[in-house]
Amino acid sequence: MSHHDAVPVPDLRLRLSTSRLLGDASTRGLQRWAVEAMPADGAEPIGTISVLSVDLRECEDPWDALDSSNDDIAHIGDVVFDVNTGQLAEGLASRLHDTGDRVLVLDRVELVPAWQGKGVAALLIAETLELMRTGCRAALCLPGPLDRGAEEDYEAGYDEAVRRMTKVWSRVGFRPFAEGVWLLEPRLGTLDETLASLREAHGLLPVRQTA
C-alpha cells in the first residue's frame, strides 16, 4: 500500500488497559494488555491489539508463561525461550543489540471491516510499540495462526490473510527470525523512522521535532 492509499486518522486515540488478580504470584512479571483505537467522538473501537508483556526479571519462567497461553503464543515461546532455563534462547539473545528487561508478544490485531485495507493496522501497531517500548528488549509476532484448517477454501483464505499480515508486519519493521516468528527491536531507530513515515501518511504530526 502506498502513502496515497492511507486514510487520515486525526480523530483516533489509543486506550491501553490491563488487569491482574491481586496477590496472584503466578502472574508475576506477566501482563496482558488490550490496546483499543477509539474515535474521539466516543464511538465504538475501530480496532484492538492484544499484547503480552513479559518482564524477564520478575517472571520466574517466561517459557512456561507463554506455553500456558494459546497455541500461537506457545509456539513463539518455544522458539525464543530456552525450555531448560526458561530465559531467552542464546540464538535470540546473541543477536539483540540493546538491553532491556521486557519482551512484548503481539498476539492479535483486529480491525472492524470498514477500517481494513487502509494502512491503519501498521500505524496502530507502531503506535502501540512506541507507547510500550520503554525497557523493551524485543517485540515478537507470528504473522499467521498455526491452525490452517482443513477446507480448501479456508486454506486459500488463510494464505491471503497471512500475505496481508506479513505486509503489515514488514511495514512496521518486523523481520523473520525463526520458524515463522518475526522480530523487532523497538528501541532502535528503525521504529522512529517507520512511525514518522506512517504518521505523515495518515495526516498526523510527529511527536518529536528535531532541529
Side-chain angles (χ1 to χ4, degrees):
M1 173 177 291
S2 70
H3 283 355
H4 298 292
D5 299 319
V7 298
V9 292
D11 296 326
L12 287 181
R13 57 188 175 87
L14 295 185
R15 181 173 67 188
L16 284 73
S17 60
T18 188
S19 64
R20 62 168 297 177
L21 183 64
L22 291 178
D24 184 2
S26 66
T27 61
R28 183 182 302 126
L30 192 67
Q31 292 181 324
R32 298 180 183 275
W33 289 87
V35 184
E36 296 177 297
M38 311 285 296
D41 62 7
E44 291 296 312
I46 64 104
T48 303
I49 299 176
S50 300
V51 184
L52 188 67
S53 175
V54 183
D55 189 315
L56 300 177
R57 294 179 308 169
E58 296 292 332
C59 187
E60 294 183 356
D61 189 343
W63 178 88
D64 184 68
L66 269 64
D67 187 62
S68 61
S69 188
N70 63 55
D71 289 343
D72 294 341
I73 291 182
H75 175 72
I76 293 176
D78 287 339
V79 173
V80 303
F81 288 107
D82 188 313
V83 64
N84 295 313
T85 66
Q87 299 302 307
L88 286 177
E90 178 61 29
L92 174 59
S94 63
R95 66 175 288 175
L96 296 176
H97 297 89
D98 208 350
T99 59
D101 298 317
R102 292 191 303 126
V103 170
L104 300 179
V105 179
L106 286 86
D107 184 14
R108 300 189 184 281
V109 180
E110 300 176 325
L111 289 176
V112 299
W115 283 84
Q116 295 175 7
K118 302 179 184 297
V120 176
L123 174 67
L124 297 183
I125 293 170
E127 293 284 358
T128 295
L129 292 173
E130 166 66 13
L131 289 169
M132 303 184 70
R133 72 193 299 180
T134 302
C136 178
R137 190 172 185 188
L140 304 157
C141 73
L142 193 68
L146 296 176
D147 183 10
R148 296 180 60 92
E151 299 295 331
E152 182 177 345
D153 289 344
Y154 179 90
E155 286 210 8
Y158 171 93
D159 290 338
E160 174 61 20
V162 171
R163 184 189 68 80
R164 290 197 306 269
M165 285 308 300
T166 297
K167 290 180 64 176
V168 170
W169 296 115
S170 297
R171 192 173 296 126
V172 176
F174 281 84
R175 295 295 180 264
F177 169 62
E179 298 183 42
V181 177
W182 285 40
L183 166 71
L184 180 145
E185 294 180 66
R187 298 181 67 184
L188 296 184
T190 303
L191 180 60
D192 295 325
E193 297 171 3
T194 298
L195 192 52
S197 177
L198 288 169
R199 284 173 174 164
E200 179 183 7
H202 290 278
L204 299 172
L205 294 175
V207 170
R208 290 186 291 270
Q209 299 289 342
T210 57

